Amino acid sequence: DKWRPEPRSEARKALGLPRQGKVILFGAGSGLRDVHKGGDLLLEAVKYLSQSPKIARNKVTLAIFGQEGESFQIGCIPVIFLGRLDDRALRSGYSASDVMVVPSRLDNFPSTAVEAQACGTPVVAFRTAGLPDIVQEGKTGFLADPFDTSQLGNFIGSILKDATLERRLGRTARSRANAEWSPETVANQYLDVFREAVEEKNQH
């Protein structure tokens, strides 16, 4: 219930994001500075992506949370910093975006990928660490080979260029988040583990 979709126009207005065009979202506790989160790999992918004429026509913006900074340009794509966001603003960030990118080099079970999908936003990431457990390939997002930035850029572009694909991935992502990561579901999984442990102990 906390991580849920908001109307995109309202979410963009709340964060001062462009009302028109496409938004790529990336974020981490320290933004681009954490090498494990792969912000530099995302910038390489965006540089590759910016060379596509169709991307230029779509007026794409890269928004980064977790860090303050001066906006800059990668080809035709402006990069803006949203600073640190509380959970309420972060929900708006996910809802405002067409795709969430989680280009981690090293990560366990990144909450941003889970939260974004719960807000109905598809995720593009590398096939590494815990991300294959979060992103269902072709159903809730895409997984690029580690650390192939051109492939990452292609997957981001495929979502930005196809609104029907984006909506389909987003709907499936929201549905799966409700089914697999709700507190009730996870609590019952813990209970199952405890029951198995007790039964095994009683057998001995």
Side-chain angles (χ1 to χ4, degrees):
D1 294 334
K2 178 178 179 181
W3 302 106
R4 62 182 187 275
E6 296 178 356
R8 179 161 291 172
S9 59
E10 294 177 16
R12 289 191 177 186
K13 184 178 180 182
L15 293 176
L17 290 167
R19 308 269 319 253
Q20 304 296 322
K22 305 288 185 175
V23 174
I24 304 166
L25 186 67
F26 165 78
S30 54
L32 294 170
R33 291 186 288 263
D34 187 342
V35 67
H36 296 312
K37 297 294 184 179
D40 58 316
L41 298 173
L42 172 60
L43 296 184
E44 286 180 26
V46 169
K47 184 177 180 181
Y48 172 82
L49 186 65
S50 71
Q51 297 167 10
S52 164
K54 195 165 184 181
I55 290 298
R57 291 196 298 271
N58 277 324
K59 297 182 179 177
V60 175
T61 300
L62 170 60
I64 297 171
F65 65 85
Q67 177 182 353
E68 303 282 352
E70 292 292 324
S71 60
F72 62 97
Q73 198 89 6
I74 299 178
C76 62
I77 300 176
V79 181
I80 62 172
F81 292 91
L82 302 176
R84 293 189 174 275
L85 303 180
D86 61 21
D87 286 351
R88 175 69 184 78
L90 189 50
R91 187 175 73 203
S92 295
Y94 296 132
S95 300
S97 304
D98 298 87
V99 58
M100 174 74 192
V101 186
V102 185
S104 300
R105 285 185 171 88
L106 184 66
D107 228 328
N108 178 21
F109 197 79
S111 58
T112 53
V114 177
E115 293 162 1
Q117 289 183 90
C119 291
T121 304
V123 171
V124 173
F126 290 118
R127 190 180 294 103
T128 186
L131 283 154
D133 294 325
I134 302 175
V135 180
Q136 276 191 318
E137 181 72 43
K139 294 182 178 179
T140 68
F142 295 107
L143 295 167
D145 295 333
F147 296 98
D148 188 333
T149 54
S150 62
Q151 191 179 60
L152 188 76
N154 280 332
F155 282 141
I156 296 167
S158 67
I159 293 174
L160 297 180
K161 295 171 187 176
D162 189 340
T164 302
L165 173 64
E166 183 219 323
R167 286 191 295 269
R168 177 170 60 79
L169 294 173
R171 283 194 300 268
T172 305
R174 171 66 180 167
S175 176
R176 181 170 181 250
N178 273 333
E180 297 199 14
W181 301 319
S182 70
E184 294 80 8
T185 299
V186 175
N188 282 322
Q189 289 172 340
Y190 274 109
L191 284 172
D192 288 341
V193 172
F194 293 146
R195 289 190 190 102
E196 288 176 21
V198 170
E199 288 170 7
E200 187 174 325
K201 185 176 180 182
N202 289 341
Q203 287 171 5
H204 295 295

